[in-house]
Amino acid sequence: MATARAPRRKPAPPPRTRLDVDERRAQLLALGGTFFTRQAYDEVSIDDVAKAAGISKGLLYHYFPTKRDFYVAVIEQSARRLLEMTRAPDAGSPMDRLRAGLDGYLRYVQENGPAYAALLRGGIGNDAAVGRIVEDTRKRFIKRLLADVGVEQPGPRLRAALRGWLGFVEATAVDHVDHQDVDLGVLREMLVEMLLTAVRFAMTGPQAAGSNGWTPLVAG
Amino acid sequence: MATARAPRRKPAPPPRTRLDVDERRAQLLALGGTFFTRQAYDEVSIDDVAKAAGISKGLLYHYFPTKRDFYVAVIEQSARRLLEMTRAPDAGSPMDRLRAGLDGYLRYVQENGPAYAALLRGGIGNDAAVGRIVEDTRKRFIKRLLADVGVEQPGPRLRAALRGWLGFVEATAVDHVDHQDVDLGVLREMLVEMLLTAVRFAMTGPQAAGSNGWTPLVAG
């Protein structure tokens, strides 16, 4: 399945094309994105990646000295793509921008499915370097959210609320990858409503909403 | 630091006490909890654990064949403890029970601090077996929450909302371990309010709350 993108060429040797260093690197990262999306880290074979790229294993190792280096570079690129896809256009109200950013995020989740879920779940292949990329991406998200509403340094409550909200976002993303049974527009509105509630709580404390109890909500 | 609980005994050999199998196992798990809470997985020395227990390394390996087996057993026990600590008394309204359960959870977070945060963050030491324990614990939580309000099989939206909420809870727990600057009572009320909002959204769809925009909330 992982080699599905590689053209079938049984008898003839793979065509070796000359690419400049940046092009080659970009090609390998794109291929890596495909491989690591379709297979678990342990199952990805560097041989297969090199074959699909039409280069020798040695040349691949010239760009990425180890499989781990290659994986970390692929994750880095994927994180950059996530940040790009969630960048809302400058125009529009903060709410429009928020919705546009969340739509971009949910598109990214759709595109990267199991690989993104595996990344968030941790596990094999995820080490300190990968953890730093994930954490750094979260920090950039929060910074962007805060910049959008003109806050530079959030207080403890707002920081905790935004951190919690990101946890909510990521957990529903993993749930969506597993189940795919909630409409993405509905999911986006749920994320919006949760953010508003979290921020409101951080700024003003508990609201009356909390006092109604939650049994009637579920039973009703 | 990890051996702080082990009595200092340089010249004399450690006293070897005879414990029955269950007692010994319980003793080792308790010790493991201390070691893995204070040190990263890679830093924990099985030699030190055996010394602290006053037994030979061989006997420890008799109970837990590998360091990994030992670690997984410690995590399993910690998960059981988490479920115990979050079990609310049968009496009281659903809201009282929810608050009692959350207070228990936040006590657990306080007690286990960095070890719990490391577990949630993934990384070294966390593999499929550990992931299953964490995931299984989440499922039990959600089942309990649903049982409390008389729902047996949640629909997709409610399932996604509860999953998201657990993500919120865990992310604020990690944030609390890192910063310890938000009052636990405030944090608990934030978790309550987020749960009510998530469940309400799942049952009735977007509320008017979402339409006010969020800039004024932050700026105001």
Side-chain angles (χ1 to χ4, degrees), chain A residues 94-95 98-99 120-124 126-128 135 138 145-146 148-151 156-169 171-172 175-176 178-182 186-187 189-215 217-220, chain B residues 94-95 98-99 120-124 126-128 135 145-146 148-151 156-169 171-172 175-176 178-182 185-187 189-215 217-220:
Chain A
M95 285 303 289
L98 175 62
R99 288 197 165 90
L120 292 181
R121 277 195 180 109
I124 290 169
N126 290 344
D127 59 2
E135 186 54 23
R138 287 185 186 129
L145 274 174
L146 289 171
D148 246 14
V149 289
V151 175
R157 281 193 199 192
L158 183 55
R159 185 207 63 235
L162 292 178
R163 275 289 167 164
W165 181 72
L166 266 193
F168 190 100
V169 171
T172 49
D175 182 78
H176 180 71
D178 287 345
H179 296 281
Q180 311 246 12
D181 56 3
V182 178
V186 171
L187 211 49
E189 285 310 303
M190 179 154 72
L191 300 180
V192 167
E193 193 140 322
M194 294 308 284
L195 179 61
L196 295 177
T197 305
V199 171
R200 185 183 303 114
F201 183 94
M203 306 315 285
T204 63
Q207 298 292 302
S211 61
N212 297 327
W214 68 305
T215 316
L217 295 173
V218 176
Chain B
M95 286 303 289
L98 175 61
R99 288 196 164 91
L120 292 180
R121 277 194 180 110
I124 291 168
N126 289 345
D127 59 3
E135 186 54 24
L145 275 174
L146 289 172
D148 246 13
V149 290
V151 174
R157 282 193 198 192
L158 183 55
R159 184 208 62 235
L162 292 178
R163 274 290 166 164
W165 180 72
L166 266 192
F168 191 99
V169 171
T172 49
D175 182 79
H176 180 71
D178 287 346
H179 297 280
Q180 311 247 11
D181 55 3
V182 178
V186 171
L187 212 50
E189 286 309 304
M190 178 153 74
L191 299 180
V192 167
E193 194 141 321
M194 295 308 284
L195 180 61
L196 295 178
T197 304
V199 171
R200 185 183 303 114
F201 183 94
M203 306 314 285
T204 63
Q207 298 291 302
S211 62
N212 297 327
W214 69 304
T215 316
L217 294 175
V218 177

